């Protein structure tokens, strides 16, 4: 079975502050991890995936297999980063399992 | 980037009638498409995996006779909610996977059964 846990439903930070959205997973094999973002009134869109090891909009995420985590980080949050963020896992069955999501609010 | 078009965005139907929702990949071919359901303030729950040219794979607890899925081409999958009832009212979202295993999402369909 595969499971994704995002412990924080709500996260509020001030503009310019660092932000970290936590994601832990449970999967017996080698997972593929993703972060998806949904801005207000927009569709869900891919933010980044662990195999790409890229930085999108200043966000990064490192897969830590020892801690089974894939936390999303940004050193300096911007107001336009306010959105709902979903961590997702794809296992051998190829289906995506989503976490419950974290609503990030960046205050001015 | 790749675009997935989902129609209609909103539909209201009477109890007992059927509703069809379309999901199209506009600029890429998708061998696999997915259908999700999202309840208010909750995450996306996978309902079924739609494979082109074959039967859909349904998640446990999802009635295949109520939620009919057809994936007739590499760019189109449809979800038909048959004999809809008020408890089927929800937000339905489709996604399509490209050759690089990235999933692109439709904008969703708000179904209200009255």
């Amino acid at each position: 079975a595969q499971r994704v846990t995002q412990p924080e439903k709500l996260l509020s930070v001030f503009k310019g502050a660092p932000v970290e959205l936590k994601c832990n997973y449970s999967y017996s094999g080698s997972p593929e991890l993703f972060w998806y973002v949904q801005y207000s009134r927009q569709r869900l869109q891919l933010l980044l995936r662990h195999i790409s090891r890229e930085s999108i909009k200043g966000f990064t995420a490192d897969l830590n297999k020892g801690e089974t985590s894939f936390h999303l980080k940004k050193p300096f949050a911007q107001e336009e980063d306010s959105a709902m963020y979903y961590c997702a896992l794809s296992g051998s069955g190829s289906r995506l399992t989503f976490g419950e999501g974290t609503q990030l609010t960046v205050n001015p | 980037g790749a675009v997935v078009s989902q129609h209609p965005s909103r539909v209201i139907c009477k109890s007992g009638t059927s509703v069809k929702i379309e999901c199209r990949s506009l600029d890429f071919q998708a061998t696999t498409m997915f259908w999700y359901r999202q309840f208010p303030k909750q995450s996306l729950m996978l309902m079924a995996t739609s494979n082109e040219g074959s039967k859909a794979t349904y998640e446990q607890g999802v009635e295949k006779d109520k939620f009919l899925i057809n994936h007739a081409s590499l760019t189109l999958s449809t979800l038909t909610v048959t004999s809809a009832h008020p408890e089927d009212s929800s937000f339905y979202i489709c996604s399509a996977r490209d050759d690089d295993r990235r999933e692109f999402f439709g904008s969703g369909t708000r179904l209200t059964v009255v």
Side-chain angles (χ1 to χ4, degrees):
Chain A
Q2 52 194 60
R3 185 171 181 174
V4 177
T5 304
Q6 292 178 250
E8 302 142 326
K9 279 187 177 287
L10 302 171
L11 184 61
S12 183
V13 300
F14 285 103
K15 177 183 173 182
V19 62
E20 180 180 54
L21 291 84
K22 290 185 168 50
C23 172
N24 289 90
Y25 67 90
S26 174
Y27 183 65
S28 57
S30 292
E32 190 169 359
L33 276 296
F34 304 82
W35 275 99
Y36 283 85
V37 61
Q38 188 168 29
Y39 300 101
S40 180
R41 299 184 183 280
Q42 294 187 29
R43 69 185 67 196
L44 201 62
Q45 56 186 285
L46 178 65
L47 181 62
L48 53 81
R49 57 198 302 199
H50 90 269
I51 61 172
S52 300
R53 299 190 64 80
E54 57 198 344
S55 174
I56 304 294
K57 299 185 179 183
F59 285 97
T60 59
D62 291 317
L63 179 61
N64 186 322
K65 292 188 177 180
E67 296 182 359
T68 60
S69 68
F70 188 56
H71 304 326
L72 183 68
K73 301 178 184 179
K74 184 168 182 176
F76 307 103
Q78 303 299 314
E79 290 181 66
E80 55 265 30
D81 296 328
S82 296
M84 178 69 91
Y85 291 81
Y86 292 97
C87 182
L89 177 154
S90 178
S92 60
S94 82
R95 57 186 288 260
L96 272 179
T97 297
F98 285 87
E100 292 297 312
T102 297
Q103 178 68 50
L104 173 65
T105 301
V106 181
N107 299 299
Chain B
V3 177
V4 173
S5 174
Q6 185 174 343
H7 291 283
S9 59
R10 190 181 296 266
V11 59
I12 301 173
C13 71
K14 290 185 177 181
S15 186
T17 62
S18 295
V19 173
K20 180 185 283 189
I21 304 170
E22 288 191 353
C23 182
R24 293 179 186 273
S25 57
L26 295 186
D27 49 3
F28 68 101
Q29 293 184 328
T31 311
T32 305
M33 291 186 175
F34 302 88
W35 288 95
Y36 296 85
R37 187 170 178 175
Q38 187 176 32
F39 292 100
K41 299 188 184 299
Q42 294 189 27
S43 187
L44 286 77
M45 297 296 295
L46 181 66
M47 297 175 64
T49 302
S50 171
N51 297 298
E52 188 268 337
S54 64
K55 290 184 178 181
T57 303
Y58 290 81
E59 294 299 304
Q60 191 173 10
V62 178
E63 297 177 60
K64 60 181 67 177
D65 293 331
K66 165 165 276 294
F67 299 101
L68 299 179
I69 291 172
N70 185 291
H71 194 155
S73 77
L74 287 171
T75 59
L76 173 64
S77 176
T78 61
L79 169 68
T80 301
V81 184
T82 62
S83 187
H85 287 93
E87 57 265 29
D88 299 323
S89 298
S90 192
F91 193 60
Y92 295 88
I93 304 170
C94 75
S95 70
R97 176 170 289 174
D98 70 1
D99 291 338
D100 197 24
R101 291 174 55 82
R102 295 174 300 178
E103 236 174 279
F104 298 94
F105 287 81
S107 53
T109 298
R110 172 75 59 194
L111 170 64
T112 304
V113 185
V114 298

